Amino acid sequence: MTSKLAALNEWVDQVAAHTRAARVHWCDGSDAENRRLIEQMLETGDLHTLNDETHPNCFLHRSDPSDVARVEHLTFVCTEREDDAGPNNNWMAPAEAHALMNGLFSGCMAGRTLYVVPYCMGPIDSPLSRCGVEITDSPYVVVNMRLMTRMGQAALERIESEGHFVKGLHSTGELDPDRRYIMHFPEELSIQSYGSGYGGNALLGKKCHALRIASYQARTEGWLAEHMLIVGIESPDGEGRYIAAAFPSACGKTNLAMLVPPQAYREAGWKVWTVGDDICWLHPGEDGRLYAINPEAGFFGVAPGTSKKTNPNALAMLDRDAIFTNVAVTDDNQPWWEGLDDRIPARDWQGRDFDPKNGPAAHPNSRFTVSIKRCPSYSDQAESQTGVPIDAIVFGGRRAGLAPLVMEAHDWNHGVLVGGAMASETTAAATGQVGVVRRDPMAMKPFCGYHFADYWAHWLKVGEKLTQPPKIFQVNWFRRDDQGGFIWPGFSENLRVLEWILKRCRGEVSGRETPVGRLPEQDEINLDGLAERPDMATLLAVDPAEWRQELADIETFLGEFGTRVPEPMKAELARIRTNFS
Ligand code: OXD
Ligand code: MN
């Protein structure tokens, strides 16, 4: 098979020759193709079976122990001018990066099959969607891309009629950390990834295309590509509203996206609908509202901590048709991870007999891949061609102190500052130290494909186009008490905070103005049915001394982005600082 698009055929031929691939397979995305690839991987040991009675059609992949997370230090944005990549990215000149990657890819697929994976990010017939083609030598990538994107024949047809696509080239190479690079060429709309089989580095539709390349493309086309979940909340009167929320990796986006309302809310008729858990493309509509699509078609979720209590919907969708990566297994070969339940696993994520001396049984960044359609709270609007209208944007972080449970920005420009100043403690989703507070603007630190200051300027510009902009909020579920315990119960109880957010959108509560933003009055957060009343005074406190320090830190942080930082952001910061003087 080839394509009707000459440019695509030429590129495939050229890559096949350069990599010396033994065979070229054009993926059609069919069940039969998927079954063949799975059988082949069961034979090669790339996949292992799991208990077919409890988990039909589920498989386990164990990755190389050196290849278990995104590698931010090996991820580059290669723009012609270094300044355009910004201090938020590693930069390499495109010519140098191409020379390096050409060397690595040369002959790397000898004896192997090259898979051509056409995919569409977003509903297949939506004008808001964008397409790409990933060339890879990894069948694991192919079966994951089939779950995570609209992959195969229909995507190819759309690409042929549009005549353009994002080019992604991937090889697992030797899985040698010293020969591992994830290169982005935003000006060429292309990606090259070598030496890793891990999701975020290898499933090029996800972080590489739908965030890094798309954020750049979105700036030129007037929209936003964001690291956000999209959730629909239906209140008892039947009114549905949509919220987009950005949190850094492993801060509970998946849990929030498919939250099951607390019992009292369920009984009252509240419903929560999942549109997406990780990435959101936001387009200004003709009516001056902001419309969102989820470019993905599946979840690549963090397994540890997922349980009946934290995320019952996730557990319900993981009992069939899922791929697990780097989880442990029980003695009857069921997938297992820390936080799931109190069974003792038999083998750890590396396939060794489980011994707590070796560390956790499942890798802390172990994952599940599953189609979004398996989710019990899957929204019937997830395939909407026009996207869903967004009423509120929420920025969240993991902060033990300072940040209140919820706070509303004054207006869009203040919201851009709140998003730009977001900070969070690091997690296991990326290699590096865990638990250090770092600024992570809009949760896009690892994913923005260009200079952050230009990105904020673009946010401000999009805001100017919106006559009915969403309100912008900041939340923090992770505030701790003096003993280190979480003050807010979190998980499904977060709906109580979303309810306040929606009431603000409907003008039903007024909150109280503070120097940093609008916070709820203590009695505006519904606590009915909670076993224990949380310390609301601490959760909703604004400590002037701590905030003065925070605002000074924010000023230093913005200073790192130099003269490109937009004036309205500096003006917002100055306005808040004077509120405290
Ligand atoms: C992810 C991440 O995998 O943000 O979603 O790391
Ligand atoms: Mn993510």
Side-chain angles (χ1 to χ4, degrees), residues 365-424:
N365 192 34
S366 53
R367 299 279 176 149
F368 53 78
T369 324
V370 68
S371 162
I372 188 169
K373 295 198 173 141
R374 291 274 306 125
C375 180
S377 54
Y378 176 63
S379 163
D380 63 1
Q381 293 305 301
E383 287 290 332
S384 160
Q385 287 184 37
T386 51
V388 295
I390 296 295
D391 278 305
I393 289 180
V394 174
F395 293 118
R398 179 185 286 272
R399 301 248 358 220
L402 182 89
L405 179 62
V406 57
M407 161 185 123
E408 179 190 332
H410 195 62
D411 58 13
W412 181 271
N413 285 8
H414 180 208
V416 174
L417 175 68
V418 168
M422 249 174 84
S424 193

Side-chain angles (χ1 to χ4, degrees), residues 70 72 198-200 206-207 211 227 247-250 253-254 277-279 296 300-302 365 367 427 429-430 443 446-447:
R70 286 184 289 101
E72 290 175 15
Y198 172 75
K206 193 173 176 63
K207 304 298 189 181
L211 287 175
H227 191 202
F247 293 80
S249 308
K253 284 218 306 296
T254 305
D277 82 324
D278 194 39
I279 302 182
E296 302 192 280
F300 184 65
V302 177
N365 192 34
R367 299 279 176 149
T427 66
F447 307 121

Side-chain angles (χ1 to χ4, degrees), residues 391-395 404 406-420 459 469-475 500-501 504-505 510 512-520 572 575-576:
D391 278 305
I393 289 180
V394 174
F395 293 118
V406 57
M407 161 185 123
E408 179 190 332
H410 195 62
D411 58 13
W412 181 271
N413 285 8
H414 180 208
V416 174
L417 175 68
V418 168
W459 260 82
K471 280 181 175 291
I472 300 185
F473 298 83
Q474 179 189 292
V475 300
W500 184 78
I501 288 175
R504 281 294 303 148
C505 294
S510 54
R512 73 187 165 103
E513 202 48 83
T514 78
V516 292
R518 191 176 288 271
L519 267 66
E572 277 306 311
R575 181 183 64 77
I576 299 168

Side-chain angles (χ1 to χ4, degrees), residues 425-467:
E425 293 152 17
T426 50
T427 66
T431 47
Q433 219 185 332
V434 170
V436 180
V437 172
R438 77 168 181 177
R439 298 255 163 229
D440 190 350
M442 280 83 171
M444 284 286 278
K445 166 82 186 67
F447 307 121
C448 180
Y450 61 104
H451 196 301
F452 255 149
D454 297 346
Y455 165 77
W456 298 323
H458 178 54
W459 260 82
L460 294 170
K461 214 160 128 198
V462 168
E464 281 166 19
K465 281 194 257 178
L466 302 173
T467 50

